[in-house]
Amino acid sequence: ADLRQLPMPAARCAHLAPMYGSNSSVYTLQLQARCMVAQQATRERHRFLAGTLSRKKENELHIVEFQEDQHEFFGSAIYTMPGEVWALASSPLDPAIVAASVRTGDGFQNGVFRLPEESGAADAAAAADESGYDGGAESRVESEAVEVSLFADSPRKQEEILFHPHDEAGGAPSNRVMFMDDTYARVFDFEGGSLTELASMAVSEGEEALCAGWNPHKREQIVVASGSGVAQWDLRAKKGSALIPAAHEFGVTSLDFNPNRASVLVTSGEDRLVKFWDMRMSEKPLMTLANHTHWVTQVKYNPFHDQLITTAGSDHRVNLWRITSISSQPLVELEGNEDGSDSADVKVLTFPEPEDSVYSLAWSAYTAWVFASLSFEGRILLHHVPE
């Protein structure tokens, strides 16, 4: 079936991209890396942010852009960072604002950074083309990312950083951002260029907190994975309750909310599995996917179409799935798959990856048909949903 025939919310129909095959484009950071996110406030271009992780060289934050008309994938801007970037989040309101957990020689700096104005993506693309650009980072560094506001009472590495989910339905914008280390989740208001703490909760539940998600359907609720279990927390009451006591046998590695079904959550784990849950009845998963041969490091819902899922693992694999039976709008007509089946739930494709663990996935904030993966060696691969 043509995956591009999935129903699209009316508000985003204007951003339909031209169709592509399953080829991948490559951008090389030239340093090791673990975290990459889409630039959420940029809704008219495919842009991603990635931070490097080097103990010997100066670390950088790269803005990487894909231009559809030229089919070019290039570094739009590079900023120096004060240390290794271990966690990263992009503001949904301001493309120049990022939150990060950065390890320096004196410990971790956790807070908000502002990226100075770029010299221009078009100029960067033209310069790359003239110099025989090969998809890697150049020596061009725009400037240093500016520290806007740090919170000094937490010198620990942050396991997760999340901005308050953006409301496209017209709700009041929020500048809240959450930082979570292995024990505490702290919610801040970022107004006037400073961080003001609103809430602090011990969320580890006896085991180290590993990952978290901010519920886009219930803005005062977060979900936190600690060890093998998952709990939900009310930010107003600052109270938590067990949601899934044993989601994955050896530990949860990531989780994500279905963007269109308020009760559905997906998790990945060290048991090589991906599981879908109904949070109202979480005694057993709605569905389990098993295609990875080692840890599943990340799982991501497509923000436009909840039928599309991507998974990545330490087995070097990036998988694209079509999971229709538990989606918000199941496909009515199926034309069969490459394996001859007409199942509503299939692995569409495994994208070729370098021989290294894949730690991060990000769907473009611009259209539904583009996403990127980041391997530990610092290679960003841009992928297209195939016809």
Side-chain angles (χ1 to χ4, degrees):
D2 186 345
L3 295 182
R4 298 178 186 278
Q5 299 307 310
L6 296 169
M8 171 170 277
R12 302 192 182 188
C13 288
H15 297 309
L16 280 170
M19 296 186 183
Y20 293 96
S22 58
N23 295 332
S24 300
S25 303
V26 182
Y27 177 86
T28 304
L29 300 174
Q30 297 182 353
L31 295 172
Q32 293 178 337
R34 292 178 68 104
C35 54
M36 174 191 64
V37 295
Q39 192 173 44
Q40 292 295 333
T42 303
R43 303 301 174 97
E44 298 179 352
R45 290 181 286 178
H46 302 290
R47 306 191 91 194
F48 303 90
L49 307 175
T52 65
L53 199 68
S54 174
R55 292 191 176 186
K56 297 181 179 180
K57 297 183 179 180
E58 188 173 55
N59 283 284
E60 299 168 338
L61 181 68
H62 293 239
I63 298 181
V64 187
E65 180 173 337
F66 172 64
Q67 288 190 347
E68 292 182 356
D69 53 349
Q70 302 296 324
H71 206 78
E72 292 181 332
F73 193 41
F74 60 92
S76 176
I78 304 173
Y79 301 94
T80 59
M81 294 293 283
E84 305 166 20
V85 183
W86 281 88
L88 187 65
S90 171
S91 168
L93 303 177
D94 187 343
I97 294 295
V98 298
S101 181
V102 180
R103 181 162 67 181
T104 69
D106 299 322
F108 277 89
Q109 292 184 4
N110 303 310
V112 175
F113 296 79
R114 176 173 290 278
L115 307 179
E117 186 176 356
E118 302 170 43
S119 62
D123 294 339
D129 187 56
E130 292 174 2
S131 62
Y133 171 72
D134 62 356
E138 304 166 66
S139 59
R140 173 183 51 82
V141 174
E142 295 271 341
S143 58
E144 183 177 354
V146 179
E147 299 173 4
V148 177
S149 183
L150 305 177
F151 58 99
D153 61 338
S154 180
R156 307 173 69 176
K157 177 172 75 76
Q158 303 300 291
E159 302 294 334
E160 192 84 70
I161 305 176
L162 300 168
F163 277 94
H164 188 269
H166 179 60
D167 186 1
E168 292 191 349
S174 172
N175 284 303
R176 286 189 293 173
V177 57
M178 185 193 78
F179 292 80
M180 186 190 78
D181 59 30
D182 59 7
T183 304
Y184 288 92
R186 294 176 173 85
V187 179
F188 296 87
D189 186 29
F190 180 64
E191 287 283 358
S194 63
L195 290 169
T196 303
E197 186 171 305
L198 302 176
S200 178
M201 302 168 293
V203 295
S204 58
E205 295 291 308
E207 298 188 73
E208 291 185 356
L210 303 169
C211 56
W214 204 324
N215 193 333
H217 311 286
K218 297 180 179 179
R219 303 305 176 86
E220 299 301 325
Q221 182 189 77
I222 62 171
V223 170
V224 177
S226 300
S228 299
V230 178
Q232 55 188 349
W233 290 81
D234 187 308
L235 296 178
R236 290 167 298 191
K238 301 180 184 178
K239 293 182 179 180
S241 59
L243 180 63
I244 311 168
H248 292 270
E249 184 176 358
F250 305 113
V252 181
T253 56
S254 76
L255 55 86
D256 198 16
F257 285 95
N258 185 310
N260 299 328
R261 290 191 64 189
S263 63
V264 176
L265 179 78
V266 63
T267 61
S268 63
E270 294 182 8
D271 55 3
R272 304 174 294 178
L273 301 177
V274 173
K275 297 182 180 181
F276 297 83
W277 308 87
D278 187 330
M279 295 192 298
R280 301 166 300 180
M281 301 173 290
S282 57
E283 294 82 8
K284 63 179 182 179
L286 295 171
M287 180 184 298
T288 299
L289 304 179
N291 187 262
H292 287 272
T293 60
H294 206 253
W295 297 354
V296 184
T297 53
Q298 197 158 62
V299 57
K300 288 288 185 183
Y301 265 109
N302 184 298
F304 300 85
H305 300 305
D306 59 313
Q307 298 93 340
L308 297 179
I309 309 288
T310 52
T311 61
S314 53
D315 56 0
H316 320 145
R317 295 183 182 180
V318 172
N319 291 331
L320 173 66
W321 303 81
R322 185 191 69 205
I323 306 300
T324 303
S325 64
I326 57 174
S327 69
S328 60
Q329 294 178 303
L331 294 177
V332 175
E333 181 179 352
L334 295 173
E335 300 176 1
N337 306 299
E338 291 184 1
D339 61 2
S341 71
D342 59 357
S343 171
D345 307 313
V346 294
K347 186 189 75 171
V348 176
L349 194 63
T350 295
F351 291 88
E353 283 288 335
E355 293 298 310
D356 211 342
S357 297
V358 182
Y359 278 106
S360 193
L361 293 168
W363 286 95
S364 170
Y366 176 31
T367 70
W369 316 123
V370 172
F371 68 98
S373 61
L374 171 67
S375 65
F376 184 62
E377 64 185 8
R379 284 165 56 94
I380 301 176
L381 269 67
L382 186 89
H383 311 285
H384 305 281
V385 175
E387 296 181 21

